[in-house]
mmCIF file of all heavy atoms in Angstrom:
data_model
loop_
_atom_site.group_PDB
_atom_site.id
_atom_site.type_symbol
_atom_site.label_atom_id
_atom_site.label_comp_id
_atom_site.label_asym_id
_atom_site.label_seq_id
_atom_site.Cartn_x
_atom_site.Cartn_y
_atom_site.Cartn_z
ATOM 1 N N GLY A 93 12.576 1.226 -26.190
ATOM 2 C CA GLY A 93 11.286 0.698 -26.595
ATOM 3 C C GLY A 93 10.440 0.304 -25.391
ATOM 4 O O GLY A 93 10.799 0.452 -24.251
ATOM 5 N N GLU A 176 17.434 22.755 -10.643
ATOM 6 C CA GLU A 176 17.363 21.732 -11.675
ATOM 7 C C GLU A 176 16.235 20.731 -11.410
ATOM 8 O O GLU A 176 15.437 20.328 -12.327
ATOM 9 C CB GLU A 176 18.659 20.943 -11.772
ATOM 10 C CG GLU A 176 18.762 19.948 -13.001
ATOM 11 C CD GLU A 176 19.848 18.925 -12.829
ATOM 12 O OE1 GLU A 176 20.733 19.122 -12.000
ATOM 13 O OE2 GLU A 176 19.772 17.993 -13.563
ATOM 14 N N LEU A 185 5.340 17.652 -15.274
ATOM 15 C CA LEU A 185 3.932 18.082 -15.186
ATOM 16 C C LEU A 185 3.401 18.454 -16.567
ATOM 17 O O LEU A 185 2.328 18.092 -16.944
ATOM 18 C CB LEU A 185 3.835 19.242 -14.209
ATOM 19 C CG LEU A 185 4.012 18.981 -12.749
ATOM 20 C CD1 LEU A 185 4.115 20.296 -11.998
ATOM 21 C CD2 LEU A 185 2.820 18.130 -12.195
ATOM 22 N N GLN A 186 4.313 19.117 -17.303
ATOM 23 C CA GLN A 186 3.906 19.611 -18.673
ATOM 24 C C GLN A 186 3.772 18.361 -19.612
ATOM 25 O O GLN A 186 2.747 18.231 -20.342
ATOM 26 C CB GLN A 186 4.934 20.502 -19.172
ATOM 27 C CG GLN A 186 4.434 21.337 -20.340
ATOM 28 C CD GLN A 186 5.347 22.432 -20.723
ATOM 29 O OE1 GLN A 186 6.383 22.677 -20.060
ATOM 30 N NE2 GLN A 186 5.009 23.130 -21.787
ATOM 31 N N PRO A 192 -2.140 22.232 -15.249
ATOM 32 C CA PRO A 192 -3.278 22.943 -14.680
ATOM 33 C C PRO A 192 -3.788 22.266 -13.396
ATOM 34 O O PRO A 192 -4.516 22.889 -12.633
ATOM 35 C CB PRO A 192 -4.366 22.790 -15.762
ATOM 36 C CG PRO A 192 -3.722 22.357 -16.982
ATOM 37 C CD PRO A 192 -2.408 21.637 -16.599
ATOM 38 N N GLY A 204 -8.127 8.526 -13.718
ATOM 39 C CA GLY A 204 -7.244 8.665 -14.861
ATOM 40 C C GLY A 204 -6.182 9.778 -14.545
ATOM 41 O O GLY A 204 -4.990 9.587 -14.826
ATOM 42 N N TYR A 221 15.483 3.353 -17.122
ATOM 43 C CA TYR A 221 14.569 2.254 -17.132
ATOM 44 C C TYR A 221 13.359 2.629 -16.280
ATOM 45 O O TYR A 221 13.495 3.051 -15.160
ATOM 46 C CB TYR A 221 15.269 1.001 -16.556
ATOM 47 C CG TYR A 221 16.451 0.527 -17.297
ATOM 48 C CD1 TYR A 221 17.681 1.054 -17.091
ATOM 49 C CD2 TYR A 221 16.313 -0.393 -18.328
ATOM 50 C CE1 TYR A 221 18.836 0.718 -17.818
ATOM 51 C CE2 TYR A 221 17.414 -0.787 -19.097
ATOM 52 C CZ TYR A 221 18.625 -0.250 -18.788
ATOM 53 O OH TYR A 221 19.764 -0.627 -19.600
ATOM 54 N N ALA A 234 -9.994 6.504 -23.450
ATOM 55 C CA ALA A 234 -9.283 7.665 -23.863
ATOM 56 C C ALA A 234 -7.992 7.866 -22.991
ATOM 57 O O ALA A 234 -6.920 8.178 -23.535
ATOM 58 C CB ALA A 234 -10.165 8.927 -23.743
ATOM 59 N N LEU A 239 -2.169 7.639 -22.229
ATOM 60 C CA LEU A 239 -1.002 7.264 -21.437
ATOM 61 C C LEU A 239 -0.079 6.445 -22.282
ATOM 62 O O LEU A 239 1.157 6.692 -22.254
ATOM 63 C CB LEU A 239 -1.539 6.512 -20.213
ATOM 64 C CG LEU A 239 -0.424 6.006 -19.290
ATOM 65 C CD1 LEU A 239 0.435 7.181 -18.804
ATOM 66 C CD2 LEU A 239 -0.992 5.252 -18.043
ATOM 67 N N THR A 242 1.883 8.600 -24.622
ATOM 68 C CA THR A 242 2.953 9.380 -23.934
ATOM 69 C C THR A 242 4.089 8.460 -23.706
ATOM 70 O O THR A 242 5.287 8.819 -23.790
ATOM 71 C CB THR A 242 2.386 9.917 -22.573
ATOM 72 O OG1 THR A 242 1.198 10.587 -22.825
ATOM 73 C CG2 THR A 242 3.359 10.840 -21.919
ATOM 74 N N GLU A 249 11.397 9.117 -28.337
ATOM 75 C CA GLU A 249 12.093 10.447 -28.338
ATOM 76 C C GLU A 249 13.217 10.544 -27.324
ATOM 77 O O GLU A 249 14.189 11.230 -27.502
ATOM 78 C CB GLU A 249 11.092 11.565 -28.129
ATOM 79 C CG GLU A 249 9.982 11.627 -29.135
ATOM 80 C CD GLU A 249 10.429 11.902 -30.543
ATOM 81 O OE1 GLU A 249 11.289 12.691 -30.749
ATOM 82 O OE2 GLU A 249 9.872 11.258 -31.464
ATOM 83 N N LEU A 261 -4.372 -7.354 -23.874
ATOM 84 C CA LEU A 261 -3.446 -7.773 -24.965
ATOM 85 C C LEU A 261 -3.533 -6.822 -26.127
ATOM 86 O O LEU A 261 -2.502 -6.659 -26.831
ATOM 87 C CB LEU A 261 -3.829 -9.207 -25.406
ATOM 88 C CG LEU A 261 -2.969 -10.315 -24.764
ATOM 89 C CD1 LEU A 261 -3.501 -11.618 -25.333
ATOM 90 C CD2 LEU A 261 -1.537 -10.137 -24.974
ATOM 91 N N THR A 290 -0.720 -15.289 -31.454
ATOM 92 C CA THR A 290 -1.400 -16.123 -32.410
ATOM 93 C C THR A 290 -2.483 -16.845 -31.628
ATOM 94 O O THR A 290 -2.577 -16.769 -30.461
ATOM 95 C CB THR A 290 -0.450 -17.197 -32.980
ATOM 96 O OG1 THR A 290 0.005 -18.025 -31.898
ATOM 97 C CG2 THR A 290 0.715 -16.566 -33.693
ATOM 98 N N VAL A 307 -5.085 -6.105 -38.028
ATOM 99 C CA VAL A 307 -5.501 -4.838 -38.583
ATOM 100 C C VAL A 307 -4.190 -4.074 -38.833
ATOM 101 O O VAL A 307 -3.469 -3.804 -37.871
ATOM 102 C CB VAL A 307 -6.491 -4.053 -37.684
ATOM 103 C CG1 VAL A 307 -6.738 -2.710 -38.329
ATOM 104 C CG2 VAL A 307 -7.707 -4.832 -37.327
ATOM 105 N N PRO A 311 -1.812 -7.491 -34.380
ATOM 106 C CA PRO A 311 -2.753 -8.479 -33.921
ATOM 107 C C PRO A 311 -3.825 -7.741 -33.114
ATOM 108 O O PRO A 311 -3.530 -6.909 -32.293
ATOM 109 C CB PRO A 311 -1.903 -9.384 -33.061
ATOM 110 C CG PRO A 311 -0.507 -9.103 -33.391
ATOM 111 C CD PRO A 311 -0.466 -7.715 -33.891
#
Side-chain angles (χ1 to χ4, degrees):
Chain A
E176 187 195 347
L185 289 168
Q186 197 169 355
Y221 298 87
L239 182 57
T242 310
E249 303 295 320
L261 265 181
T290 60
V307 176

